[in-house]
Amino acid sequence: MNRRALVIGIDYEGSNKLNGCINDAIRVNDMLKNRGFIVLLLTENNTYSNILRGIRWLLCNCPVDQFETCLHNTDNISSDMLYYHFSGHGSVIRDQNRSYNSIITEDLKYITNDDIYNRLICLLPQNTKLRGCVDCCNSRSNFDLKWDLVKKNKTYTLQKTGNGRNSYCDAIIISGSSNYGNSYDTIIDGINTGVLTHYYLEYVNKHLEISIYALLNYLNNKLKSYHQTPGIALGKQMSIMTDFWL
């Protein structure tokens, strides 16, 4: 199986400083390599342009050291599974028509959920799987997907999102917060880390097979003491017992 991953961690500078995002990216990189992924790890110079180049790299067969110059061909996407991880700041921006959930780049620009959908999601064919984890504030709709896995009356079910879109590919994305919620960093065992990423890695490193239901239930139980609401968004309807990795 051909597996490629883009992993981004930004600690920023000055008043925007975070602690632990680069640590988290390095740990996610290690987890993915153990699962057979080719990983492009971005922990410095994470500008708007470089992150978009990284997304483009996901769609091609270029070596990691050529990500800045690769050109993707959407007619020849050969990876069976793609993975995207972001640890950093997130925000909501608005225009006259709607709100956009966005990640914030190191040069303090916005990459919106529209950008992610148009540059990645809608280009992926039906036989490609996309998995990811977005550990930032305001992240639930970061990929603009149609379905949310939600808890109602002590059980989990799929629910349509307001403005989300379906995907041809098999997309499952974990988020650290609601669309207008916070995603926190902390210190656990003496290490600066994002709360979501820490407990996400804690779970996936112990289990080879992971249903999306079991994963979200575990994250909800762990993150409730931080007053943080994780989520899982999906590009199409599927069973809550679907394996996150398969």
Side-chain angles (χ1 to χ4, degrees):
M1 179 176 285
N2 186 8
R3 297 182 168 194
R4 292 168 73 85
L6 171 64
V7 178
I8 304 160
I10 311 176
D11 280 344
Y12 307 92
E13 297 293 338
S15 61
N16 299 298
K17 178 104 177 128
L18 291 174
N19 298 297
C21 295
I22 290 176
N23 289 343
D24 287 348
I26 292 170
R27 293 170 64 210
V28 171
N29 170 70
D30 294 341
M31 178 273 291
L32 291 168
K33 285 187 173 180
N34 287 337
R35 289 180 175 267
F37 281 83
I38 300 169
V39 183
L40 172 57
L41 174 63
L42 299 181
T43 57
E44 57 185 26
N45 197 26
N46 277 311
T47 62
Y48 177 88
S49 296
N50 262 1
I51 291 176
L52 293 184
R53 290 187 186 105
I55 292 172
R56 186 174 62 199
W57 174 88
L58 272 179
L59 301 173
C60 73
N61 290 313
C62 292
V64 169
D65 60 0
Q66 295 179 18
F67 91 94
E68 292 182 324
T69 58
C70 72
L71 297 174
H72 72 261
N73 178 359
T74 57
D75 296 325
N76 191 32
I77 297 171
S78 61
S79 292
D80 302 293
M81 178 174 283
L82 303 178
Y83 186 98
Y84 170 101
H85 183 96
F86 177 81
S87 288
H89 280 305
S91 184
V92 178
I93 59 175
R94 298 173 177 84
D95 62 20
Q96 293 180 342
N97 299 313
R98 57 172 290 193
S99 299
Y100 300 88
N101 294 79
S102 311
I103 63 169
I104 301 177
T105 64
E106 193 168 354
D107 52 347
L108 304 183
K109 296 180 180 179
Y110 299 96
I111 296 177
T112 70
N113 48 4
D114 259 13
D115 294 326
I116 298 290
Y117 190 90
N118 293 329
R119 294 172 182 268
L120 179 60
I121 298 288
C122 73
L123 301 180
L124 297 177
Q126 189 172 3
N127 61 345
T128 301
K129 298 181 186 300
L130 174 67
R131 301 294 184 260
C133 180
V134 184
D135 192 355
C136 65
C137 298
N138 316 114
S139 56
R140 184 65 50 80
S141 297
N142 200 259
F143 275 62
D144 211 17
L145 297 178
K146 187 69 175 179
W147 299 91
D148 275 339
L149 181 60
V150 297
K151 189 175 184 179
K152 287 187 175 181
N153 300 322
K154 298 183 180 180
T155 188
Y156 286 86
T157 186
L158 293 186
Q159 175 177 289
K160 281 187 179 181
T161 60
N163 296 312
R165 292 177 275 184
N166 287 313
S167 65
Y168 291 112
C169 68
D170 179 352
I172 303 175
I173 307 297
I174 303 161
S175 60
S177 67
S178 64
N179 283 333
Y180 297 96
N182 293 321
S183 194
Y184 298 102
D185 58 12
T186 188
I187 299 175
I188 299 177
D189 298 329
I191 298 173
N192 289 301
T193 181
V195 174
L196 172 71
T197 302
H198 174 82
Y199 288 110
Y200 164 64
L201 288 174
E202 182 178 82
Y203 191 79
V204 300
N205 283 332
K206 292 178 181 177
H207 301 85
L208 289 177
E209 297 179 356
I210 304 167
S211 73
I212 57 174
Y213 151 74
L215 176 56
L216 184 56
N217 191 55
Y218 182 84
L219 293 174
N220 270 322
N221 289 335
K222 290 293 186 178
L223 271 60
K224 62 184 178 183
S225 63
Y226 294 90
H227 306 290
Q228 188 170 328
T229 308
I232 290 182
L234 307 100
K236 59 180 67 176
Q237 285 184 284
M238 61 185 73
S239 166
I240 67 171
M241 300 309 295
T242 298
D243 193 292
F244 184 71
W245 293 112
L246 299 178

